[in-house]
Amino acid sequence: MGSLPHPDLLLPILILLLSLTPLTSSTPDYDAEELLRSANEDKEWLVSVRRRIHEHPELRFQEHNTSALIRAQLDRLGVPYSFPYAGTGVVAQVGSGEPPVIALRADMDALPLQELVDWEHKSKNDGVMHACGHDAHVAMLLGAAKLLNQRQSKLKGTVRLIFQPAEEGGAGASHMIKDGVLDGVEAIFGMHVNYQVPTGSIESQPGPTQAAVCFFEAKIEGKAGEAAKPHLNVDPLVAASFAILSMQLLTSREDDPLHSQVLSVTYVKGGSSFDETPPFVEFGGTLRSITTEGLHRLQRRVKQVVEGQAAVHQCTAFISMLEEDFPFYPAVVNDAGLHDHVQQVGALLLGRDKVKTGKKIMAGEDFAFYQQLIPGIIFATGIKNESAGPVYPAHSPYFFIDEDVLPIGAALHTAIAELYLNQHSS
Ligand SMILES: *[C@@H]1O[C@H](CO)[C@@H](O)[C@H](O)[C@H]1NC(C)=O
Ligand SMILES: *[C@@H]1O[C@H](CO)[C@@H](O)[C@H](O)[C@H]1NC(C)=O
Ligand SMILES: [Zn+2]
Ligand SMILES: [Zn+2]
């Protein structure tokens, strides 16, 4: 008797112990509150950095001032870095310089959009806006640079902080890789703000998460002539119509219904007269697949169908996947072990109820290039907070973030890195 708990209590106690085990065993004395407190002390600085970048957005591969701002901040913090990578990219490093080496990544480019949010720190560059939150990504990673540097003595390895250009359509990640950014790195973490997730929560998921993406442009040439004498012309409009309809069958008839694909024709241009058939028709759009191989297959079939339909109607087709302007993005596939790690760190820092499993989306993300080479995960950090400001999706000219995310993101980056190294240093 005496010291033993009542039998009715044994099961609940056992369940409680089991539910705590994975976290407590891997994080014996990690002081999450202390980390969050330090991050919150930096909030004013993080907000001012984010607002300065927001006011001066720069398009892909032109992030010169953003890059200079990042380097000036790293100089002030006394964090060493290398420059340039991929033109404007900056790569900082904190820790022993010894393995394990892990990477944290922030993208830093803006979008060709006119900001329509009326606020004090609105974009000062006409037609350019940080509408995807990359300004916040840079601020959060600078915040992590500061925290990791302050806590350097706790670091059991090396953290590389990647400030990357040209996520928006420029495949900046692939250029960073060519310049050696992943040399010696064993795992990479990326964080993206998400307007559907409340501030203070995160979402991540293992496996395929975001689509492989490409864009295409087609031209179907016929022979122009009087509409009243169709037998003397070759009509590219009819050929294009058949081609566009036939393409839709590739997703509905040729792809596994449990696999996700998108084929969207987003424009058609041809002709300008009531009584003449045009010499050619142009159309284009985007192809997406939740797997990289799926997108390669779809590209091959789109080419065959457009060329085939053009030939049936005595026209000639030219089709381009626009690799030069819009490089092919592979699919984002999150590593299952890193997903578990992110969920555990999220629970430790933010609370178990603030960590959810996310949903797949058919938007692209060039983080996928890193994941082709090493295990990686990109996860969502919430910015949804109606009382802090209006909530609009990314790439909207009304996009607005809850700046409370900034210290949270800095702390998350830091804890993810420190705890990974604790668990993987030998
Ligand atoms: C970059 O900074 C320079 C010097 O302050 C300024 O003249 C220029 O307008 C800035 N460019 C952008 C795109 O913000
Ligand atoms: C939402 O924003 C309000 C106003 O800025 C703030 O007081 C509150 O703490 C924020 N909520 C969260 C969850 O961050
Ligand atoms: Zn974007
Ligand atoms: Zn983005």
Side-chain angles (χ1 to χ4, degrees):
M1 301 282 300
S3 64
L4 277 181
H6 187 278
D8 285 355
L9 283 176
L10 279 176
L11 189 62
I13 288 173
L14 190 65
I15 290 172
L16 181 70
L17 284 175
L18 282 175
S19 71
L20 291 175
T21 304
L23 205 58
T24 47
S25 69
S26 60
T27 56
D29 35 49
Y30 195 78
D31 194 343
E33 269 172 37
E34 156 71 20
L35 173 60
L36 282 171
R37 208 174 316 120
S38 301
N40 272 321
E41 282 166 13
D42 294 334
K43 185 170 172 192
E44 215 172 297
W45 166 62
L46 293 170
V47 167
S48 82
V49 166
R50 184 259 160 171
R51 288 180 178 176
R52 252 181 292 162
I53 300 173
H54 190 85
E55 286 176 6
H56 301 101
E58 296 170 304
L59 293 175
R60 63 185 195 199
F61 292 124
Q62 296 167 27
E63 309 90 341
H64 300 289
N65 291 6
T66 309
S67 173
L69 181 150
I70 291 165
R71 283 175 277 134
Q73 293 293 332
L74 291 170
D75 283 335
R76 271 191 44 203
L77 297 172
V79 173
Y81 58 84
S82 306
F83 167 82
Y85 277 75
T88 54
V90 181
V91 179
Q93 195 157 295
V94 184
S96 63
E98 299 295 317
V101 184
I102 61 150
L104 306 172
R105 174 271 208 164
D107 40 13
M108 57 193 202
D109 55 323
L111 286 158
L113 276 176
Q114 178 62 43
E115 176 160 7
L116 296 179
V117 187
D118 241 337
W119 69 308
E120 212 186 327
H121 300 284
K122 185 174 177 164
S123 167
K124 294 191 191 328
N125 296 342
D126 277 348
V128 187
M129 176 189 179
H130 269 292
C132 202
H134 300 183
D135 48 350
H137 297 172
V138 169
M140 295 189 294
L141 196 58
L142 281 170
K146 179 162 188 270
L147 293 168
L148 287 164
N149 198 40
Q150 281 166 0
R151 301 154 59 92
Q152 181 127 218
S153 59
K154 295 185 187 165
L155 217 49
K156 299 204 173 72
T158 306
V159 185
R160 202 168 285 170
L161 302 107
I162 301 177
F163 297 90
Q164 175 217 299
E167 191 289 318
E168 300 289 359
S174 70
H175 296 267
M176 296 296 285
I177 291 167
K178 275 191 209 112
D179 287 353
V181 77
L182 289 188
D183 292 354
V185 177
E186 67 170 56
I188 183 164
F189 297 88
M191 185 153 60
H192 204 297
V193 296
N194 186 318
Y195 79 105
Q196 289 171 309
V197 179
T199 309
S201 291
I202 62 166
E203 285 187 1
S204 77
Q205 62 180 314
T209 303
Q210 289 190 236
V213 175
C214 76
F215 297 90
F216 73 94
E217 189 174 72
K219 181 176 187 183
I220 295 188
E221 278 183 2
K223 181 166 163 279
E226 285 176 60
K229 300 172 185 165
H231 57 297
L232 302 180
N233 317 330
V234 178
D235 185 356
L237 269 169
V238 172
S241 306
F242 273 96
I244 290 167
L245 286 175
S246 306
M247 282 161 70
Q248 295 304 320
L249 302 178
L250 299 177
T251 47
S252 71
R253 301 290 81 190
E254 293 191 10
D255 193 40
D256 182 337
L258 298 178
H259 179 257
S260 308
Q261 281 195 345
V262 172
L263 188 162
S264 292
V265 174
T266 52
Y267 71 88
V268 180
K269 291 189 255 183
S272 57
S273 149
F274 282 115
D275 59 3
E276 260 195 64
T277 60
F280 62 85
V281 171
E282 290 172 317
F283 59 91
T286 181
L287 311 177
R288 289 158 193 241
S289 170
I290 201 69
T291 62
T292 305
E293 316 78 72
L295 186 57
H296 285 305
R297 199 166 57 234
L298 188 58
Q299 285 185 317
R300 276 196 303 277
R301 288 292 291 141
V302 161
K303 197 164 179 302
Q304 286 169 354
V305 165
V306 172
E307 287 171 353
Q309 286 294 345
V312 165
H313 299 91
Q314 305 188 73
C315 292
T316 312
F318 303 90
I319 180 155
S320 161
M321 295 294 159
L322 301 172
E323 274 292 300
E324 298 268 300
D325 298 323
F326 303 101
F328 180 104
Y329 276 22
V332 170
V333 183
N334 283 339
D335 180 82
L338 299 183
H339 157 77
D340 289 344
H341 180 68
V342 164
Q343 296 246 322
Q344 283 188 22
V345 174
L348 181 68
L349 223 56
L350 309 171
R352 271 183 193 284
D353 58 327
K354 300 289 164 54
V355 178
K356 302 251 157 61
T357 301
K359 293 191 198 79
K360 292 177 193 177
I361 52 169
M362 298 305 277
E365 166 58 68
D366 80 348
F367 191 78
F369 286 101
Y370 300 120
Q371 295 174 312
Q372 286 189 314
L373 299 176
I374 59 169
I377 182 165
I378 184 157
F379 65 97
T381 314
I383 51 163
K384 179 177 164 190
N385 180 353
E386 269 104 359
S387 46
V391 173
Y392 283 91
H395 292 218
S396 156
Y398 295 101
F399 185 70
F400 193 76
I401 72 167
D402 176 7
E403 290 174 327
D404 279 0
V405 73
L406 301 175
I408 296 171
L412 272 170
H413 269 315
T414 303
I416 283 171
E418 289 178 344
L419 288 166
Y420 180 95
L421 293 178
N422 283 353
Q423 290 155 22
H424 291 82
S425 63
S426 44

